[in-house]
Amino acid sequence: MKKPFTKMKHFCFIIFMIFWVLPESSFAQSRVVTGAVLSGDDFLPLPGVTVMVRGTTRGTVTDMDGTFSIPINPGDEALTFSFVGFAPQEIPITNANSYDITLQPDMQSLSEVIVVGYGEQKKETITGSVVTVKGAELARSPALNLTNSIAGRMAGVVAVNRSGEPGYDGAGIRIRGSNTLGNNDALIVIDGRPARTGGIDRLNPNDIESISVLKDASAAIYGARAANGVILVTTKRGKTGKPQLSYQFNQGFAQPTVIPRLANAAQYGGMLNDLNVYELPVNEWQAANDAFRNTGVYTRPNGQI
């Protein structure tokens, strides 16, 4: 009589657990949320906005109407919205199934001033092909030559250092390749002065405010000299306020792996004599060598000494 009662208790316990877990499992299922993204200045739909679930690779982009839909899993905490020219935004995920987002323009990046050939322009008004880098980024590189600090920092600009000789460690700069048959160097303008003596090789990176590279039609103001592009260097200006002192120290050692053996004075003189001999016709080589060894002077059949 006890065994059927025990089986009945087990059966009731299992039924109770099923009904207790079932609501929890149905509540923990994934869902899809939708929404729209608008511009903060004119409240127009923004197509192409990237919508991502924070901490995951799941994302989507808004359509032409600025709307989006994205699946949400249990444990997802926030949605991130990013678009070029607008400040990124992040919102927490709640129980809502629809979100309306307004992105504000990133005025800091749009108001950035870029130096061009004929003055300064705001970044948002630039129509030509111009790239720029700040002096603070160049100062992070411990390179002694400023041309080596440019490498890899600006699109379309290639800087290659083909020599490690002290004093001749300047990199060759090419803007979008080689465009002329002769000298392919870019025109360097420092504080408004083109082709200044010394170039940028020995400028201190800490003295640079910004470097702009003009390509294509944006460099047309400099005429034929701009065929290979223009590099505009703007140095820092004095500022009002308390004096500020900074100190940097870099030290490096270079040692050749193989030191070549050099000729002495006698060997060098013999090499010069050999060069003179081999400039003669082949049938005179033997006589010239014998004459150099015996008297140090060779007289050719035509009387030339």
Side-chain angles (χ1 to χ4, degrees):
M1 297 298 295
K2 293 183 179 180
K3 290 183 179 180
F5 180 73
T6 303
K7 292 181 179 180
M8 181 62 67
K9 287 197 301 182
H10 290 172
F11 178 76
C12 293
F13 177 75
I14 293 175
I15 295 298
F16 172 77
M17 292 297 297
I18 292 175
F19 281 97
W20 182 68
V21 175
L22 184 60
E24 295 293 330
S25 61
S26 62
F27 177 77
Q29 291 180 353
S30 301
R31 59 193 176 98
V32 176
V33 298
T34 60
V37 182
L38 304 178
S39 173
D41 51 358
D42 51 13
F43 298 100
L44 294 177
L46 284 178
V49 177
T50 300
V51 184
M52 297 289 296
V53 178
R54 188 181 66 184
T56 69
T57 58
R58 285 180 285 116
T60 184
V61 294
T62 58
D63 57 17
M64 294 302 297
D65 297 326
T67 60
F68 68 93
S69 63
I70 187 171
I72 300 299
N73 294 335
D76 293 338
E77 298 179 352
L79 293 176
T80 60
F81 300 83
S82 60
F83 191 59
V84 177
F86 289 81
Q89 187 174 345
E90 180 176 296
I91 61 170
I93 297 176
T94 62
N95 294 330
N97 293 322
S98 179
Y99 298 88
D100 292 332
I101 308 300
T102 302
L103 294 184
Q104 300 297 330
D106 190 359
M107 301 306 298
Q108 181 177 359
S109 63
L110 291 179
S111 60
E112 181 180 349
V113 174
I114 297 178
V115 179
V116 294
Y118 35 83
E120 297 178 349
Q121 290 187 6
K122 288 188 176 181
K123 188 175 183 179
E124 60 182 343
T125 62
I126 290 291
T127 57
S129 183
V130 180
V131 291
T132 183
V133 61
K134 295 296 182 181
E137 298 182 17
L138 299 175
R140 297 174 186 171
S141 301
L144 296 178
N145 198 308
L146 184 60
T147 58
N148 296 320
S149 301
I150 297 177
R153 296 187 181 273
M154 291 179 284
V157 179
V158 178
V160 179
N161 186 356
R162 292 183 172 87
S163 172
E165 182 180 355
Y168 295 93
D169 54 350
I173 302 176
R174 298 290 180 268
I175 300 176
R176 289 186 175 176
S178 300
N179 302 311
T180 58
L181 297 177
N183 187 358
N184 285 285
D185 293 337
L187 176 64
I188 298 176
V189 181
I190 303 177
D191 290 335
R193 296 183 57 184
R196 196 179 77 171
T197 303
I200 64 175
D201 287 354
R202 292 295 174 242
L203 286 181
N204 185 359
N206 294 288
D207 295 336
I208 303 299
E209 179 67 28
S210 66
I211 294 181
S212 300
V213 176
L214 310 183
K215 317 172 196 175
D216 302 334
S218 58
I221 187 175
Y222 292 100
R225 293 184 298 177
N228 297 295
V230 179
I231 299 177
L232 299 179
V233 181
T234 303
T235 58
K236 293 180 179 180
R237 301 292 187 268
K239 298 180 180 179
T240 58
K242 297 181 180 180
Q244 296 181 356
L245 300 178
S246 62
Y247 174 76
Q248 282 186 337
F249 177 76
N250 296 311
Q251 184 177 9
F253 297 94
Q255 182 177 357
T257 55
V258 177
I259 300 178
R261 297 180 58 185
L262 303 179
N264 55 32
Q267 292 172 337
Y268 180 69
M271 292 177 184
L272 292 180
N273 289 337
D274 291 340
L275 289 176
N276 292 332
V277 169
Y278 295 134
E279 289 177 354
L280 301 175
V282 178
N283 57 359
E284 298 184 30
W285 284 2
Q286 185 62 46
N289 281 321
D290 295 340
F292 275 128
R293 293 191 181 94
N294 295 330
T295 62
V297 177
Y298 170 65
T299 301
R300 299 189 60 192
N302 60 2
Q304 181 182 0
I305 298 177

